[in-house]
Structures are given as C-alpha cells and as structure tokens.
Amino acid sequence: MQASRVLRMSSIQNQALLIQPRTTPDVYLAAATTAWRTLTSPDVGATYEERVKKGIINPSVLKQSRYSGAMSLALTYELDEPLFQKYKFDAKQFIEGVKPALERYHDIQGQFQNTVFDHAEEDGTFAMPKGNESSNNIVETIDDYLSKLKRLQDRTENFARKQQEDKESLAGQLTRMITPYMFKGMQEAVNAYILNETKLRYEAGSGEVLNVALLSARAVEMDQQANDLEETNEENVQQDELKNDPSAAQKEEESNFNSVSTEKSTLNATEDKEEKSQETSPNDIKTSQEEEEENNEPMIAAQVEVLYDINQTYQIPAADKDSQPDSESVESETKDYTVVCVAVFEGYLSGDPEGNENVQWKLAMTRPPEEFPYFLTAPIQ
C-alpha cells in the first residue's frame, strides 16, 4: 500500500544503522540482569515504578510482545545505561516530543509522495509500456519488469535529487529528518507503488499518531571500526548517486581536484607548523596536547525504538473511463488507514561528526512491529 504505512528494510539496509538491532538473547539477558538487580537493590524497583508513573515504560503494551514481561525489564536495564546518565538523556522528554515529530515526518513524507506521483503522471511514468504481458516466457517478463524499474528509478531519483537542493522543499525537509539510507529506502518504496500503478493520494494534515510506547533505548561508544563502517555506507550512497547522475560525477571530479589542491596547501602548512613546533617549549607542547584531548570527545551513538500507531486519510482516485465506459462520472473517495509501526531513531550523545552540540535525532528506519504479532493486524490497545 502507501509508502507511509510501512517501509520494510532489508538486512542489508540494517548495516546502515549505527547500532545493530538487538536479538532475542539480548532481551532475555537484559531482563534477567534487571531481575537480579531488583532482588539485590530496592532502588532498582523504585526507579522502575517511577518510570511507569511518568509514562516512560508502558508495561500494559510491552507485555503484549512475544517477550511478555521480559520486555519491560529489558527496557529498564537499557535506561540504566551509564552513558545515558552521563549525558543526561531525558526519556520522558523524548517520549513527549516523538509524537509530534512522527506526525510531522509522515505528513511531509506523504506530501512528498504526492509530488513524486504528480511528477510521474506529468512525465508519463505511469504510462510506461507494459510490454508483452501475455508472453509465456518468464525470462522476458522479468527482464521487462527490471527494465521498467530501472527507467523509473532514474526518473524519480533525478527528480528527488533536484528537490533536495532546496532546503525548504519537502525533500529538503525530509533530508534533515531522516538518514540517507532511510531516504533511499523511501524512494524505492514509492517506485514500487508507481510501477504497480498505485495512485493513492495522501490528504495533507490528516496524519495523527494515536499512541506511542518506548521499546528500546541503547547507547554505545563507537570505535574506529564502526566509524569506518559508517563512512563506507555514506560512500555507497554517494556512489549510487554518481551512477545515476552524470552531472554529479563531474562535480565529484571537480571536488577531488580541489581536495588535491587543499591537501598540498595543508602539507605546506604542516611543514611550517613542524618547523615552528621545534622552537616551542615542552610546556607549550603539553598544553597543546591537553587541549587536543579536551576537544576530542568520545563518539557516543544512541538508538531509540518507539512503537506507535498512526491514522491517515488517503484519496482513492476515480477509475479510468476506459475501465468503466458505462459510468458517466466517478468521483474519488477517501479512506482512513490505521497502521502500527516501529520507528528507529538514532543520534549522537557526544562527538557528533557534524559538530552538533545537542543531540540531533534522525529517523533511521520504520519497520513492522515484529515483536508484537497481534499488532501486525490490529491497532495498539
């Protein structure tokens, strides 16, 4: 159905996450640790009850997961993470702010989807030839589908890239809300809907998040290997863009030329600096080293998962006259959809590569609530 309902992310796309999804053993081990701490320290139980009263932990929702009561105990363990305490992560403030943030994301995303659909209609993408559908050769059918998908990707990605250049456009706003891999996954979902001729139009401003519940909150100190992985993921996204945009490739070459020039200038400056450093006293060197240690804050990544259900209104376009020749006029109708998703937010508590002093949370993934089999077919109770 529509792109804002569920964006299913593959295991390959999971590699783009700063922190990998927790496993079943992780949940039960964290729950067992909390249970043991509760027996040995009364403060743990008191903290748990306080979080329940504040709405940070929602046992009535979490116990409906396949982990039952272990889900609440595991979340307690995660919230007690010393890194969260050190960098003063406010879980209650996060829960209060995540509801309007998700509503804004889905509204912007829905409107952006509409603009892509409108562009596809104007560009004739919806009217792409279907090929020989009666062919019994499955290889020809698959080749035809892949060929149409490639043409569609080229058209929509070029359109989205131009839109992203305007920071105030819908695509520009989404870029600030979500990670590059999330944006790419959203594009792929929209392409699939266009290819299947799904022409639902989101009704702007109709999205309403009904309920939210915190599922998981984790923080880790990133090592150099993780940083290299993140840089590799970003390079993969950039390489995909270069393949589909010749002008971007030209800009990349110019950027590389400028980088070489900059490196030469930096090398000369470094040599001058080394000559001057020989004239400095040991005390001056020590002071510089201390300042460098103070400026090099550890890179602390955080990931928060939230279960939520959202209701949205979509316009179902009228059927084509060719498909209903006897009908003089068929008006479009609206229909409400309520779905349950898990939103995965990521940010840096410290050492943000972009230099942000405060945590800048970005949506890294939305996925089906696989931990809650009942919620796959029904709203949150």
Side-chain angles (χ1 to χ4, degrees):
M1 293 297 292
Q2 62 274 23
S4 58
R5 292 188 64 182
V6 174
L7 288 177
R8 298 181 179 272
M9 310 294 287
S10 66
S11 59
I12 296 178
Q13 289 171 313
N14 281 341
Q15 296 178 5
L17 296 174
L18 296 176
I19 304 175
Q20 291 303 297
R22 62 180 180 176
T23 62
T24 296
D26 292 336
V27 175
Y28 285 119
L29 180 59
T33 304
T34 300
W36 173 254
R37 290 177 178 175
T38 303
L39 296 176
T40 57
S41 174
D43 294 339
V44 176
T47 302
Y48 171 82
E49 293 297 334
E50 182 180 359
R51 287 170 176 162
V52 172
K53 291 180 180 179
K54 290 182 178 181
I56 299 173
I57 299 178
N58 193 333
S60 62
V61 172
L62 299 182
K63 71 179 181 181
Q64 299 181 58
S65 72
R66 65 169 179 259
Y67 302 115
S68 189
M71 195 79 163
S72 297
L73 295 177
L75 179 56
T76 300
Y77 171 83
E78 294 172 346
L79 291 173
D80 289 337
E81 165 63 47
L83 290 174
F84 280 137
Q85 310 303 321
K86 179 179 179 179
Y87 293 100
K88 299 179 181 180
F89 169 68
D90 191 333
K92 180 174 176 55
Q93 185 181 39
F94 183 92
I95 285 294
E96 291 175 347
V98 75
K99 186 174 180 179
L102 284 171
E103 288 180 346
R104 183 166 181 266
Y105 158 71
H106 280 284
D107 188 58
I108 299 297
Q109 188 272 339
Q111 294 183 57
F112 176 70
Q113 175 179 292
N114 290 347
T115 61
V116 176
F117 283 176
D118 293 339
H119 173 73
E121 285 187 336
E122 295 173 0
D123 188 48
T125 305
F126 275 124
M128 286 193 304
K130 297 180 179 297
N132 185 11
E133 296 184 350
S134 61
S135 174
N136 294 325
N137 190 333
I138 189 171
V139 176
E140 293 182 2
T141 303
I142 294 176
D143 289 344
D144 180 61
Y145 179 87
L146 294 177
S147 176
K148 288 189 289 187
L149 180 60
K150 180 63 172 65
R151 294 199 304 272
L152 177 60
Q153 287 176 334
D154 292 342
R155 293 175 182 177
T156 57
E157 288 180 4
N158 289 336
F159 171 75
R161 188 178 297 107
K162 292 179 181 178
Q163 292 292 312
Q164 282 181 291
E165 295 176 358
D166 181 4
K167 299 300 182 181
E168 299 304 320
S169 68
L170 296 173
Q173 295 179 58
L174 283 173
T175 302
R176 297 195 298 270
M177 295 180 185
I178 62 181
T179 62
Y181 264 86
M182 177 74 176
F183 192 91
K184 188 174 181 61
M186 180 188 66
Q187 282 184 288
E188 293 175 352
V190 174
N191 289 339
Y193 304 143
I194 294 176
L195 196 61
N196 294 325
E197 298 187 358
T198 302
K199 302 181 182 180
L200 296 180
R201 292 296 193 277
Y202 168 72
E203 189 173 294
S206 66
E208 179 183 5
V209 174
L210 306 176
N211 304 279
V212 294
L214 188 63
L215 293 187
S216 173
R218 295 180 294 161
V220 297
E221 183 171 353
M222 305 291 287
D223 55 16
Q224 186 60 41
Q225 182 179 2
N227 296 339
D228 293 342
L229 175 61
E230 182 182 2
E231 292 176 359
T232 300
N233 290 330
E234 292 179 354
E235 290 176 359
N236 291 337
V237 173
Q238 293 175 357
Q239 289 175 1
D240 291 340
E241 293 177 351
L242 293 176
K243 291 179 181 178
N244 298 318
D245 188 359
S247 61
Q250 184 178 359
K251 292 179 181 178
E252 179 69 12
E253 292 179 359
E254 295 176 356
S255 176
N256 292 337
F257 176 79
N258 294 333
S259 298
V260 173
S261 301
T262 303
E263 288 177 1
K264 291 181 179 179
S265 301
T266 304
L267 180 60
N268 295 333
T270 302
E271 292 175 352
D272 295 340
K273 184 176 181 181
E274 289 178 353
E275 293 178 357
K276 293 181 179 179
S277 65
Q278 295 177 357
E279 303 175 358
T280 59
S281 63
N283 293 333
D284 294 335
I285 296 176
K286 182 178 180 181
T287 303
S288 300
Q289 291 176 346
E290 291 176 350
E291 291 178 353
E292 183 176 356
E293 291 178 357
E294 292 178 357
N295 294 331
N296 291 336
E297 296 182 356
M299 183 177 292
I300 309 298
Q303 182 185 95
V304 180
E305 293 185 330
V306 177
L307 178 73
Y308 69 102
D309 55 352
I310 182 170
N311 182 78
Q312 294 174 295
T313 302
Y314 281 80
Q315 294 181 357
I316 304 176
D320 296 335
K321 292 184 179 181
D322 295 338
S323 61
Q324 295 186 3
D326 297 335
S327 177
E328 295 181 358
S329 62
V330 181
E331 296 182 356
S332 60
E333 61 177 345
T334 60
K335 186 175 182 180
D336 291 342
Y337 292 94
T338 300
V339 293
V340 184
C341 299
V342 173
V344 182
F345 291 90
E346 290 187 331
Y348 291 92
L349 301 178
S350 172
D352 190 334
E354 297 181 0
N356 297 310
E357 296 182 359
N358 299 322
V359 183
Q360 301 295 318
W361 295 103
K362 283 194 173 185
L363 188 60
M365 177 191 297
T366 60
R367 61 173 178 82
E370 298 171 351
E371 308 94 324
F372 299 84
Y374 175 75
F375 292 157
L376 290 172
T377 57
I380 298 176
Q381 299 295 329

